[in-house]
Amino acid sequence: MPSTSHILRAQRAVSTQRKRALHDLVSLPGRKPIVSSGTPGYSAVSGHVVTVFGCTGFLGRYLVSKLARMGTQVIVPYREEDEKRHLKPMGDLGQIVSMEWDIRNEDQIAECLRHSDIVYNLVGRDYETKNFDYSSVHVSGAERIAKVAAQAGVQRLVHVSHLNASTSSKSQFYRTKAEGEERVKKFFPDATIIRPGSMFGYEDKFLNNMAVWPIWWKLNHSETKIRPVHVMDVAQALANLMPTSQLPGTFSLPGPNTVTFEYLLDLVSSIAYLPPSRAPVVPKRIALAISKAAQAAWWPLISPDEVERRYIDDVDVPGDWDKLGVVPDEIENHAITYLRRYRSAENFVRPVVFPARAS
């Protein structure tokens, strides 16, 4: 005779079963119909197949996690075996499919996206190497992905750029981001271009770098204005594009507030209970000389272009968060989560005292 616990489990399973309806069927031109099934969540089947180029990066891991939690099959192109291992548990069995690729190989790109109904291009480079400069990644690479996606009949392409992308910028990073947008729109006119601000999170090179190397954030006397945005908010905005219809255009995703580097350094110091940095303000010409010399090292250090970016304010444009169904959160609400690790043992549980924000 079945026990009470078995009966309760059976009743719960029956009550959570959901019958399929017409809204579970999505038809795409030239593609097989998409049929979703199961209770929404990790073990559901959304019917969508998504390719996320740049999935092993900072933003990519959070986007893959959010897509997989929706029951989406996610193709994760990778270059190094160890870089994609953490992505496998993010989805149910068979939902995370890893495929090796090279951004210069169109055949491999085509193999990665040929079954997908939406493609995300998150590929980017903060610094140049002997094999990949800014142009080869942000311009040629983006163009190649857009061209192959168009040839394969992919219905939607989401290209992630930067809030400060501009062809007239002093920064080559920002210039190539803008050039990449134009190349993408040339081959995929209906592409969705997303321009997020500088992102913060667990693995960022933003708050973590301020806690370790505050001297490089004192450039321009820490007066540079920036609009930081939570990486989880950007990932959610990108994930919200998956079940929607085509949304062509360019969408800016800046943070909700504009702050200076000086305020952020005070914020890091206040939260981590670190003494204020006594490092001097390095003149720009000396910082450029040091950054050029640092390129001789085989590991990534601050680059001349990064020094240039520390002198450029974030553009003052309205955010398009409402069009993507997300309300961005302020940096003060999450900074403790990412900076507590820099506290000493005796200060680990002390309350946070926020610095005053300049009006």
Side-chain angles (χ1 to χ4, degrees):
M1 184 174 182
S3 64
T4 304
S5 61
H6 283 88
I7 295 175
L8 289 175
R9 279 200 294 267
Q11 290 176 344
R12 193 178 298 115
V14 171
S15 63
T16 56
Q17 285 181 355
R18 185 172 63 88
K19 294 182 179 180
R20 293 183 181 178
L22 186 60
H23 61 261
D24 294 322
L25 176 64
V26 178
S27 299
L28 296 176
R31 295 272 177 171
K32 293 181 179 179
I34 296 174
V35 182
S36 60
S37 62
T39 305
Y42 182 87
S43 297
V45 177
S46 71
H48 290 275
V49 181
V50 177
T51 300
V52 182
F53 291 104
C55 56
T56 57
F58 176 42
L59 174 60
R61 65 182 62 199
Y62 295 105
L63 176 58
V64 171
S65 176
K66 288 185 176 295
L67 292 173
R69 284 169 182 250
M70 298 164 66
T72 303
Q73 186 174 58
V74 187
I75 312 300
V76 291
Y78 69 93
R79 290 198 300 146
E80 296 184 18
E81 186 73 27
D82 289 341
E83 288 185 348
K84 51 87 175 178
R85 293 175 63 186
H86 61 282
L87 301 176
K88 194 69 173 178
M90 292 182 178
D92 208 349
L93 187 64
Q95 292 296 84
I96 305 296
V97 181
S98 55
M99 300 184 69
E100 190 171 2
W101 82 302
D102 188 318
I103 198 171
R104 297 161 294 197
N105 191 320
E106 292 189 7
D107 291 337
Q108 289 184 332
I109 294 174
E111 188 65 23
C112 289
L113 56 73
R114 67 191 183 99
H115 295 294
S116 300
D117 49 272
I118 181 170
V119 171
Y120 292 89
N121 179 19
L122 277 55
V123 180
R125 201 69 173 163
D126 283 332
Y127 56 89
E128 295 182 307
T129 66
K130 65 179 181 180
N131 293 321
F132 295 99
D133 57 15
Y134 292 130
S135 182
S136 63
V137 176
H138 300 154
V139 182
S140 302
E143 176 186 18
R144 201 170 289 117
I145 291 174
K147 181 175 70 173
V148 174
Q151 293 173 348
V154 173
Q155 297 299 310
R156 291 173 294 166
L157 172 65
V158 180
H159 176 77
V160 177
S161 182
H162 193 280
L163 182 66
N164 294 332
S166 172
T167 54
S168 60
S169 176
K170 294 181 180 179
S171 165
Q172 187 181 2
F173 176 88
Y174 294 148
R175 289 199 306 272
T176 54
K177 281 290 188 179
E179 293 171 13
E181 291 180 10
E182 296 303 318
R183 297 286 186 92
V184 167
K185 288 186 285 189
K186 175 183 176 182
F187 287 95
F188 210 110
D190 292 333
T192 303
I193 309 294
I194 302 296
R195 288 182 168 184
S198 297
M199 293 177 284
F200 62 89
Y202 269 115
E203 307 86 2
D204 69 19
K205 298 176 182 177
F206 189 62
L207 293 177
N208 288 301
N209 195 265
M210 285 186 178
V212 178
W213 290 102
I215 186 173
W216 295 117
W217 298 91
K218 288 191 171 185
L219 297 175
N220 197 26
H221 297 275
S222 301
E223 295 176 354
T224 304
K225 296 178 181 179
I226 192 170
R227 307 172 72 183
V229 59
H230 196 195
V231 66
M232 298 294 285
D233 291 335
V234 179
Q236 187 61 59
L238 294 174
N240 289 350
L241 289 169
M242 191 269 295
T244 61
S245 58
Q246 213 162 47
L247 189 64
T250 301
F251 303 88
S252 298
L253 302 182
N257 295 313
T258 301
V259 295
T260 62
F261 285 160
E262 181 181 16
Y263 172 79
L264 291 174
L265 287 172
D266 289 343
L267 178 68
V268 171
S269 179
S270 300
I271 291 179
Y273 285 103
L274 298 172
S277 173
R278 296 183 179 180
V281 177
V282 180
K284 185 176 182 179
R285 59 184 180 82
I286 296 178
L288 286 171
I290 294 174
S291 61
K292 288 178 182 178
Q295 302 313 297
W298 61 268
W299 62 91
L301 297 171
I302 189 168
S303 66
D305 192 81
E306 195 170 356
V307 170
E308 192 67 56
R309 276 177 264 158
R310 299 285 163 86
Y311 288 81
I312 301 175
D313 292 339
D314 279 357
V315 295
D316 186 14
V317 295
D320 297 310
W321 292 98
D322 56 328
K323 298 176 183 177
L324 303 179
V326 175
V327 178
D329 218 346
E330 297 180 348
I331 191 171
E332 291 87 351
N333 296 338
H334 299 279
I336 181 63
T337 305
Y338 309 127
L339 293 172
R340 190 188 292 274
R341 71 182 85 174
Y342 297 105
R343 289 184 173 188
S344 59
E346 59 268 22
N347 292 328
F348 198 75
V349 295
R350 286 180 65 181
V352 178
V353 179
F354 293 112
R357 183 184 297 172
S359 58

